[in-house]
């Protein structure tokens, strides 16, 4: 990220130091591999392992559970840095942290935290979150996967789709219906399921438009017996708990949007200074200047929204609306910024020799995952 262009909100010296460490790693290790990973639709396994060894998979996890012990804003700032280099790697990190590790931290028993968080924070195991189903996407209350109590176990049957990290995760946080359908959202509970549990299998891997190097696959549960001690929270609290989880996840997706938008802006601005037409750099043309100005303004506004939502969550203030605003505006800003950057490059912008078409494809998925733009507008309104 170009500091001459990027205007960061006020970070403490500790937050800035961690962000800088992640930036240096991302620029050196992630960015050079991003295009090939995308082209081959190849999961960045070695990069994820290195990130785990450096503690980047446990940034907001307390030290007592093996994490870095940094705050949420530190994690958000670091996620932005990774996103600017590779959206796929950032999504892997965001899903692992926001949707698997943090729910265990927030809703787990002390025994669950000590059993699972050290492996997740260190990267010895990757985490995944299983919510979406063929009949339960935007309507998350329509969950049909069931968990039937059988003595000291629950027997889980059903399937989940579009699950990030599904093929590589060692720990899954999933939702299932423990009550009758007539109970609605009050009949949904959450569970921790470990890889290798009989009856759990990863299914079809998705071949996606963007974020192609992130792993997205279905999960299939068939007479999957999970110890009752692996229930996360009380019976019937699953829907409420994953709504809280998604508030945090949306802040993370917002940070990804900021990172991709900033990368598109930086690339287009540099190109405009170097590309010559009509007797000089195209950066001197009013039409190009207007695009750059609008992109820079939107990126800064998106960053402010994301950081504000993160600070509200850290302060334990209401933030559902603010998280939705941040996710909505930042994801749509990323799409617009990538689109305008492509326009500035003209034909070159459509070439895979340049990263902008990848930014554009990656950004589009941010308008859909963890609640579509339409759902965010419903939440806000």
């Amino acid at each position: 990220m170009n500091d001459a262009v990027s205007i960061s909100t006020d970070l403490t010296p500790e937050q800035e130091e961690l962000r800088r460490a992640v930036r240096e790693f991302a620029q050196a290790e992630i960015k050079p591999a991003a295009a090939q990973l995308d082209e081959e639709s190849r999961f960045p396994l070695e990069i994820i392992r290195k990130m785990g060894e450096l503690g980047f998979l446990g940034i907001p996890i307390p030290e007592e559970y093996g994490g870095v012990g940094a705050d949420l804003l530190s994690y958000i700032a670091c996620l932005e840095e990774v996103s600017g280099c590779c959206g796929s790697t950032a999504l892997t990190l965001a899903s692992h942290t926001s949707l698997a590790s943090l729910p265990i931290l927030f809703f787990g028993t002390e025994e669950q935290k000590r059993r699972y968080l050290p492996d997740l924070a260190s990267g010895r195991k990757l985490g995944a979150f299983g919510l979406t189903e063929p009949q339960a996407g935007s309507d998350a209350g329509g969950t049909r996967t069931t968990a039937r109590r059988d003595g000291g176990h629950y027997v889980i049957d059903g399937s989940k789709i579009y699950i990030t990290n599904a093929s590589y995760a060692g720990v899954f946080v999933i939702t299932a219906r423990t009550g009758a359908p007539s109970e609605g959202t009050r009949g949904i509970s959450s569970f921790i399921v470990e890889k290798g549990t009989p009856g759990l299998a990863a299914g079809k891997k998705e071949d996606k438009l963007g974020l192609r190097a992130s792993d997205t696959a279905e999960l299939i549960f068939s007479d999957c017996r999970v110890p009752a001690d692996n229930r996360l929270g009380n019976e019937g609290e699953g829907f409420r708990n994953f709504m809280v989880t998604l508030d945090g996840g949306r802040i993370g997706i917002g940070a990804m949007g900021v990172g991709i938008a900033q990368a598109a802006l930086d690339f287009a601005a540099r190109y405009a200074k170097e590309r010559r037409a009509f007797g000089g750099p195209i950066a001197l043309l009013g039409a190009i200047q207007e695009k750059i100005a609008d992109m820079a303004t939107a990126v800064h506004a998106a960053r402010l929204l994301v950081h504000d939502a993160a600070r509200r969550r850290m302060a334990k203030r209401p933030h559902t609306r603010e998280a939705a605003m941040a996710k909505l505006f930042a994801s749509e800003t990323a799409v617009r910024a990538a689109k305008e950057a492509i326009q500035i490059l003209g034909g070159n912008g459509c070439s895979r020799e340049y990263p902008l078409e990848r930014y554009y494809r990656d950004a589009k998925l941010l308008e859909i995952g963890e609640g579509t733009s339409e759902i965010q507008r419903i939440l806000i309104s």
Side-chain angles (χ1 to χ4, degrees):
M1 189 180 298
N2 185 350
D3 281 327
V5 176
S6 170
I7 305 174
S8 180
T9 52
D10 53 333
L11 298 178
T12 66
E14 293 78 13
Q15 291 168 337
E16 181 62 34
E17 181 180 1
L18 181 56
R19 182 181 72 92
R20 186 180 299 111
V22 172
R23 172 192 290 184
E24 291 174 355
F25 175 85
Q27 292 287 335
E29 300 283 344
I30 299 176
K31 188 174 182 178
Q36 186 172 3
L37 289 170
D38 173 79
E39 180 71 25
E40 298 174 359
S41 193
R42 176 162 53 88
F43 186 75
L45 186 58
E46 290 304 315
I47 289 174
I48 296 300
R49 285 174 176 166
K50 290 181 182 179
M51 292 176 69
E53 292 169 359
L54 292 170
F56 297 160
L57 298 188
I59 290 173
I61 303 302
E63 293 181 15
E64 63 182 301
Y65 302 121
V68 172
D71 57 25
L72 180 65
L73 187 55
S74 298
Y75 160 63
I76 291 300
C78 292
L79 187 57
E80 180 184 328
E81 295 292 341
V82 175
S83 303
C85 293
C86 177
S88 294
T89 304
L91 182 60
T92 302
L93 170 62
S95 297
H96 166 87
T97 305
S98 299
L99 303 182
S101 300
L102 289 180
I104 295 175
L105 177 66
F106 294 153
F107 309 119
T109 64
E110 186 63 24
E111 191 277 332
Q112 289 172 338
K113 294 175 188 179
R114 296 197 177 277
R115 180 176 180 182
Y116 293 109
L117 289 179
D119 281 345
L120 291 169
S122 66
R124 289 189 293 270
K125 291 183 179 178
L126 197 61
F129 179 57
L131 169 63
T132 305
E133 300 182 5
Q135 303 300 324
S138 294
D139 180 15
T143 297
R144 295 187 179 182
T145 296
T146 61
R148 172 177 54 85
R149 187 68 183 258
D150 182 19
H153 290 77
Y154 283 89
V155 181
I156 303 176
D157 288 284
S159 63
K160 304 288 183 178
I161 59 172
Y162 304 139
I163 306 305
T164 303
N165 301 340
S167 305
Y168 294 87
V171 177
F172 299 87
V173 174
I174 68 106
T175 58
R177 184 168 292 283
T178 50
S182 59
E183 294 183 56
T185 59
R186 295 187 302 276
I188 297 174
S189 304
S190 298
F191 299 88
I192 303 170
V193 184
E194 298 181 43
K195 182 177 182 178
T197 301
L200 168 65
K204 173 190 172 186
K205 181 179 178 180
E206 298 294 335
D207 186 9
K208 306 189 299 292
L209 168 75
L211 300 171
R212 291 175 54 79
S214 74
D215 175 67
T216 306
E218 64 179 341
L219 287 177
I220 301 169
F221 299 89
S222 179
D223 287 328
C224 181
R225 295 181 64 84
V226 176
D229 289 343
N230 279 35
R231 190 185 65 228
L232 189 60
N234 295 323
E235 270 201 13
E237 292 182 350
F239 185 86
R240 184 192 69 183
N241 290 349
F242 71 65
M243 285 293 102
V244 174
T245 297
L246 288 176
D247 282 345
R250 286 165 182 154
I251 300 172
I253 296 296
M256 286 184 61
V258 172
I260 292 174
Q262 183 73 64
L265 168 60
D266 290 347
F267 194 95
R270 289 194 300 269
Y271 181 91
K273 294 175 184 177
E274 298 168 359
R275 172 77 164 116
R276 298 182 67 84
F278 304 103
I282 64 172
L284 298 179
L285 301 176
I288 302 300
Q289 292 174 348
E290 288 182 5
K291 291 182 184 297
I292 295 294
D294 288 346
M295 291 162 68
T297 301
V299 170
H300 186 49
R303 182 175 289 113
L304 292 172
L305 280 169
V306 170
H307 283 218
D308 174 65
R311 293 180 191 279
R312 287 172 180 269
R313 189 173 177 90
M314 288 163 56
K316 295 181 169 40
R317 296 173 60 190
H319 58 278
T320 296
R321 180 185 65 176
E322 288 76 14
M325 287 178 171
K327 195 270 186 186
L328 170 67
F329 189 80
S331 63
E332 295 192 347
T333 291
V335 172
R336 288 194 301 269
K339 177 184 176 183
E340 293 291 16
I342 289 172
Q343 196 73 14
I344 290 172
L345 267 70
N348 284 340
C350 298
S351 170
R352 291 198 174 185
E353 183 179 346
Y354 298 86
L356 294 178
E357 61 85 28
R358 171 164 53 86
Y359 296 160
Y360 193 30
R361 289 185 287 107
D362 287 352
K364 181 57 192 173
L365 272 68
L366 302 184
E367 293 183 318
I368 297 173
E370 294 198 41
T372 63
S373 291
E374 290 75 16
I375 289 295
Q376 303 314 308
R377 287 185 167 91
I378 291 173
L379 290 171
I380 294 165
S381 66

